[in-house]
Amino acid sequence: MVRADDATIGDTRFKAVIVVDTHSVKPFWSINLDSKQLQIRDFEFLDPQTMQPGADTALSSRTPETKGAEQDHWQRLKQVVEDPDMHLDLNVKLEKVVAGDSTLGSSRLKLKLRDNALILENAELDLPRGNIRSAASFSIDNGNVTGALKLDIEKFDYGVVARYVMPGSKQGGIISTRIDLGLEGRDFEHLLDGASGKLDVAVWPADTKSKVFDIWATNLFLLVLPEIRKDESRVNCMVALMDIEDGIMKEDFFGIDTTKVWLYGNITVDFPEKYVKLSLFPNSKTARLFAVQAPIRAEGRFDNLKLNTNPIDITVAYLSFITSPLHVPARRLFADKVPEDASEGCERFFSREYVEDLKKEIDAQIQKDVDEWLDSD
């Protein structure tokens, strides 16, 4: 047994008790770690600033060298889980977690490593505003990786990550998630290829120019952002309630609120093929003369996304444009006033129960209108 009652690594202070059982087939390590303060930077092996994408590469694919390094990383992880040199029980309690100059909060987790199995239990991070709760398990059978993931985030200020990666950054915003997935793939990198479950995300961005994360979802957002902002709109919030079945993800609800326009849309993501299709349908919050609002469509592989132009979309938008002097005054007179910042609406849409009730209400109103029209004949 090894015991350290007052150990330090940089700004990290901790107590540790390590017990190693060598009588088993493989050494069994039991580690209990209590820390008054853990500074994430004390355990870095890479400079985070070297990992951020530049402005000129935000929408470009990763280099072959980068892809190769990532594949090697995932392959090594698979090898460790499949045939570890030891078995492990790790119990961690942290009074304060610090990332650079930002204080996150207290944290705790349990991690278990066995042959063909990696289990994360009761991983929690309590933040000044909100919290993160997570659990995950992974196993390897006949070379394939299966697992389960739950991740609940309540209003996490992701500006902490931006400031950690890029010190002095003013980027930030709030994110909430409710994720419950079964996972399956040939390795850890491809676990979404056979995934099924639900993935709900709501984001309230303080800055819509973020290049912190070089992933396909960010590239997609950066691609459509100029189209959204053509009318000088600022993004208030985004909500996506997604269902995944056998690696194909489709929306139950997808919407973006901006200061000038509300957009709802359809999105399909094929994880095995790494292909995404997105259609956004803008609706002006105020009726405006000669306001063309054609749908925004993007499609392509994760590393090669492009905007699409549909002739039918242009025709419909043009008809709306030339007839706007007729219908805009009526809309101005009768339409309900929509605030420029409808962030509270995004919070309501983040509830699946609310969206389901709203859909039933809309369907009932449509049926009522049809019945009244039929009765009028």
Side-chain angles (χ1 to χ4, degrees):
M1 182 178 73
V2 177
R3 183 184 185 95
D5 291 326
D6 190 17
T8 61
I9 299 177
D11 294 327
T12 299
R13 303 187 303 275
F14 62 91
K15 297 180 181 180
V17 177
I18 303 174
V19 178
V20 182
D21 180 1
T22 59
H23 294 90
S24 304
V25 176
K26 291 184 177 181
F28 186 91
W29 288 62
S30 178
I31 302 175
N32 292 303
L33 179 65
D34 292 328
S35 177
K36 293 183 178 180
Q37 174 174 295
L38 183 139
Q39 169 60 261
I40 295 176
R41 189 156 287 169
D42 292 335
F43 299 89
E44 281 180 353
F45 297 98
L46 294 173
D47 181 355
Q49 296 187 62
T50 66
M51 298 185 289
Q52 58 175 309
D56 56 341
T57 62
L59 293 176
S60 64
S61 62
R62 295 167 293 173
T63 65
E65 292 79 7
T66 302
K67 291 181 180 179
E70 291 180 357
Q71 290 171 354
D72 289 344
H73 170 78
W74 291 115
Q75 188 62 33
R76 285 197 299 271
L77 178 59
K78 182 179 179 181
Q79 292 172 353
V80 168
V81 175
E82 193 168 21
D83 187 20
D85 293 330
M86 64 179 186
H87 294 165
L88 172 69
D89 274 2
L90 173 65
N91 299 305
V92 178
K93 293 182 180 179
L94 309 173
E95 293 183 19
K96 182 167 70 171
V97 179
V98 181
D101 297 328
S102 301
T103 299
L104 298 180
S106 61
S107 180
R108 63 200 65 83
L109 64 84
K110 294 181 179 180
L111 182 68
K112 297 181 179 180
L113 176 62
R114 303 289 191 270
D115 288 341
N116 300 315
L118 179 66
I119 303 169
L120 177 67
E121 297 179 345
N122 303 323
E124 302 178 2
L125 178 61
D126 292 319
L127 307 165
R129 293 186 303 171
N131 55 66
I132 298 176
R133 301 285 183 267
S134 179
S137 62
F138 307 96
S139 61
I140 300 177
D141 185 22
N142 294 325
N144 291 324
V145 182
T146 60
L149 171 67
K150 288 188 176 183
L151 177 62
D152 293 333
I153 300 177
E154 181 183 347
K155 296 184 177 179
F156 172 60
D157 179 3
Y158 60 82
V160 171
V161 179
R163 292 189 293 273
Y164 179 71
V165 175
M166 297 180 292
S169 171
K170 298 185 182 298
Q171 297 175 8
I174 302 298
I175 183 171
S176 293
T177 71
R178 286 192 295 268
I179 299 173
D180 189 353
L181 296 176
L183 306 168
E184 183 176 356
R186 65 178 184 270
D187 53 34
F188 283 91
E189 184 181 10
H190 296 89
L191 278 173
L192 290 174
D193 288 2
S196 295
K198 299 183 183 300
L199 190 155
D200 299 346
V201 180
V203 182
W204 292 265
D207 190 321
T208 53
K209 299 179 181 179
S210 175
K211 300 181 181 69
V212 175
F213 306 105
D214 187 19
I215 57 177
W216 67 268
T218 304
N219 289 347
L220 178 63
F221 177 60
L222 292 177
L223 180 68
V224 302
L225 183 60
E227 298 295 317
I228 295 175
R229 299 179 66 178
K230 278 183 177 179
D231 56 1
E232 299 182 352
S233 284
R234 180 178 61 83
V235 176
N236 296 321
C237 56
M238 297 173 285
V239 179
L241 307 181
M242 311 298 296
D243 297 318
I244 306 179
E245 185 173 354
D246 295 330
I248 307 298
M249 182 169 73
K250 296 183 179 182
E251 89 291 338
D252 188 53
F253 175 84
F254 185 75
I256 301 175
D257 179 69
T258 77
T259 52
K260 304 294 184 183
V261 176
W262 165 259
L263 303 98
Y264 66 94
N266 307 119
I267 181 170
T268 300
V269 182
D270 186 329
F271 285 105
E273 297 296 329
K274 292 182 171 53
Y275 199 86
V276 60
K277 293 178 65 175
L278 170 69
S279 297
L280 289 175
F281 305 94
N283 289 269
S284 176
K285 289 187 174 182
T286 58
R288 292 174 294 164
L289 290 173
F290 307 114
V292 179
Q293 291 180 288
I296 301 170
R297 301 187 191 275
E299 184 174 353
R301 293 182 62 84
F302 292 174
D303 58 357
N304 188 28
L305 295 165
K306 296 180 180 179
L307 289 172
N308 284 341
T309 301
N310 188 322
I312 297 178
D313 293 340
I314 296 176
T315 301
V316 173
Y318 178 72
L319 291 174
S320 176
F321 173 79
I322 62 177
T323 61
S324 61
L326 301 177
H327 63 72
V328 166
R331 289 178 59 193
R332 285 188 182 276
L333 181 62
F334 296 109
D336 294 333
K337 182 175 177 57
V338 181
E340 283 198 350
D341 187 349
S343 295
E344 293 183 1
C346 284
E347 190 148 3
R348 290 196 297 271
F349 282 119
F350 191 49
S351 165
R352 282 183 176 257
E353 291 79 12
Y354 175 81
V355 171
E356 184 64 28
D357 290 344
L358 187 60
K359 286 181 178 180
K360 291 179 180 178
E361 182 180 331
I362 293 173
D363 289 342
Q365 184 61 49
I366 291 174
Q367 187 61 50
K368 179 181 178 182
D369 292 342
V370 170
D371 292 341
E372 290 179 352
W373 178 75
L374 292 174
D375 291 342
S376 66
D377 292 342

